[in-house]
Amino acid sequence: MIQEKDIAKVEVGLTGHEMDPDDVTKIVGLHPTRSFRKGDRVSKKGIERAQPFSLWALGAEGEDVEATVRLLLAQLEGRLDAWNVAIKETKAQASVSIWWEPEGGQGGFTVQSALMRRLTEFGERVNIYFPG
């Protein structure tokens, strides 16, 4: 099956072994787009396992990486201080993830450096995924 459009996903996340996602929600004042607790049981490809850490993540999806970064930053506006409090209080690691799946399977993306700087304030590292 041929993919008919570009897929861009951008996410900020906190992970930790002691972190409770509900605490992050209270501190940051936003509900995650996905979360789980360490020990939660999940089934993937027919294999059940326990999550090895907790996760709280907020993401946005679109067809253009830069536009999707803008969508996510609009949700996070004014919350960087609370984000940093959540990192400290929950002993979490922060990351930014960008998923880029171009139509036809090849091609790059561009993000203004000022936007990338703002986005990376929410993470200690940046993960970039090019599935294929």
Side-chain angles (χ1 to χ4, degrees):
M1 176 187 257
I2 296 175
Q3 181 178 311
E4 295 182 13
K5 63 181 181 174
D6 296 336
I7 300 171
K9 299 177 186 178
V10 182
E11 180 177 83
V12 296
L14 296 179
T15 58
H17 293 283
E18 301 174 30
M19 185 190 80
D20 182 340
D22 291 339
D23 292 342
V24 176
T25 298
K26 290 174 191 166
I27 295 167
V28 176
L30 294 169
H31 290 280
T33 50
R34 64 189 186 108
S35 68
F36 53 79
R37 285 181 179 75
K38 180 179 179 177
D40 283 356
R41 305 296 295 174
V42 294
S43 181
K44 191 171 184 177
K45 296 181 182 182
I47 300 170
E48 188 172 308
R49 65 177 179 87
Q51 292 289 6
F53 54 83
S54 296
L55 168 86
W56 186 101
L58 181 68
E61 294 186 27
E63 294 180 29
D64 176 78
V65 174
E66 185 169 300
T68 307
V69 168
R70 289 179 188 281
L71 284 172
L72 182 58
L73 286 172
Q75 294 178 68
L76 293 165
E77 190 67 41
R79 299 186 192 269
L80 183 57
D81 289 341
W83 183 257
N84 288 324
V85 168
I87 292 168
K88 184 177 179 182
E89 289 189 10
T90 66
K91 299 178 181 139
Q93 287 91 37
S95 64
V96 172
S97 298
I98 298 172
W99 172 287
W100 175 238
E101 195 171 347
E103 177 185 2
Q106 61 183 0
F109 64 87
T110 301
V111 178
Q112 291 179 8
S113 57
L115 281 177
M116 191 60 89
R117 275 192 298 277
R118 285 180 51 209
L119 181 64
T120 59
E121 288 181 321
F122 289 90
E124 300 163 28
R125 66 178 186 273
V126 177
N127 305 308
I128 299 179
Y129 301 97
F130 297 95

